[in-house]
Amino acid sequence: MSMNEAQEEEPGSGQGPRSVHRALELLSRVVDAGPVSLSALARQADLPASTTMRMLRVLEHWDYVAKNQQGQFVVGARFAQSRFTPEPASAEHLNDLSAPILESLTEITGESSYLAVRGDANTCVYLREVQTSHPIRHVGFSGWQGRTVPMASSAVAEVFEERIPETGYVVMDAVVTSEATVVAAPVRSSSGEIIAVLSIVGPSYRLNSAAVATVGPQVIAAANELGAKVS
């Protein structure tokens, strides 16, 4: 090992370049903390802001982190995709294919949109989210991309368990707050298997019964479009 390589080792952290350890520490903090600012990450990792930014730019280039609309760092699409093994095999590009569909759905409905797949046990993994630009939204639903959460009593669980009304979509209060409403629909493979759940979330006063009657079919259409692309 050369002197430069030896200097790059991270003492007490096992072998490997110091920069790799630091980059992985930053990624871990983003995963654990949800949306987090550059200054907070630099402070937590005890690194200069310039060094922190350089490492985050590399992670962002490889889609392991991303920036939300507030400029905070959240889990990126590649990291989210690495946390599940989709079935059937035709769904392996589900994450990438969903990006323009969710962006369009958020633009049409004016509400934040999400894509979730089954996780281990009774959990789901949120692969992707697109936050609305609307000034009023529930910040508790920002930074869910890449998260594994319990499905119990959620709209996602209702869809995966196929407890879907004749309308074709599920409408429920959000688990984390009764002040938000979720509208969710199944993404099906060509065989009819539910491989994912596509949903929007917004303040309940905005997603009233009249609004739901309008956006519900739009959520179904987006879910069907995604299902057709992965089949």
Side-chain angles (χ1 to χ4, degrees):
M1 181 184 294
S2 69
M3 181 176 296
N4 288 339
E5 290 173 330
Q7 291 174 343
E8 180 67 5
E9 296 291 337
E10 179 72 11
S13 297
Q15 293 187 348
R18 178 180 303 169
S19 59
V20 173
H21 285 280
R22 288 178 170 174
L24 290 174
E25 178 187 357
L26 291 174
L27 175 59
S28 297
R29 291 185 182 279
V30 172
V31 172
D32 293 340
V36 59
S37 66
L38 169 65
S39 58
L41 282 169
R43 183 172 60 254
Q44 292 167 10
D46 195 23
L47 291 172
S50 58
T51 301
T52 304
M53 176 54 77
R54 286 198 300 271
M55 292 183 176
L56 288 169
R57 282 176 177 166
V58 174
L59 292 170
E60 190 174 8
H61 171 77
W62 288 98
D63 285 338
Y64 280 95
V65 302
K67 282 184 180 178
N68 63 16
Q69 292 177 335
Q70 290 72 46
Q72 297 172 307
F73 289 91
V74 297
V75 170
R78 185 181 296 271
F79 183 84
Q81 188 172 6
S82 71
R83 301 190 69 179
F84 80 105
T85 302
E87 294 292 345
S90 61
E92 62 186 10
H93 300 304
L94 182 65
N95 192 30
D96 293 337
L97 292 171
S98 69
I101 294 174
L102 264 66
E103 289 169 3
S104 177
L105 181 62
T106 292
E107 182 178 354
I108 291 170
T109 64
E111 305 298 350
S112 301
S113 58
Y114 303 83
L115 181 70
V117 295
R118 286 186 183 273
D120 295 332
N122 190 33
T123 66
C124 66
V125 179
Y126 281 87
L127 291 186
R128 186 177 291 279
E129 70 175 73
V130 176
Q131 286 291 313
T132 178
S133 59
H134 200 289
I136 300 177
R137 62 181 180 271
H138 286 275
V139 294
F141 292 98
S142 177
W144 280 52
Q145 184 168 294
R147 287 192 186 182
T148 299
V149 299
M151 284 198 301
S153 303
S154 70
V156 171
E158 291 295 298
V159 173
F160 273 130
E161 296 302 321
E162 302 200 50
R163 294 189 289 267
I164 306 169
E166 293 183 1
T167 57
Y169 55 87
V170 171
V171 182
M172 291 181 61
D173 289 341
V175 173
V176 297
T177 173
S178 60
E179 296 179 354
T181 296
V182 182
V183 182
V187 177
R188 297 182 184 272
S189 67
S190 57
S191 64
E193 178 186 2
I194 298 176
I195 57 176
V197 176
L198 194 152
S199 63
I200 62 171
V201 179
S204 296
Y205 76 86
R206 200 160 64 218
L207 282 177
N208 54 34
S209 57
V212 167
T214 298
V215 301
Q218 294 169 337
V219 175
I220 293 175
N224 290 343
E225 180 183 357
L226 182 55
K229 286 182 179 294
V230 299
S231 298

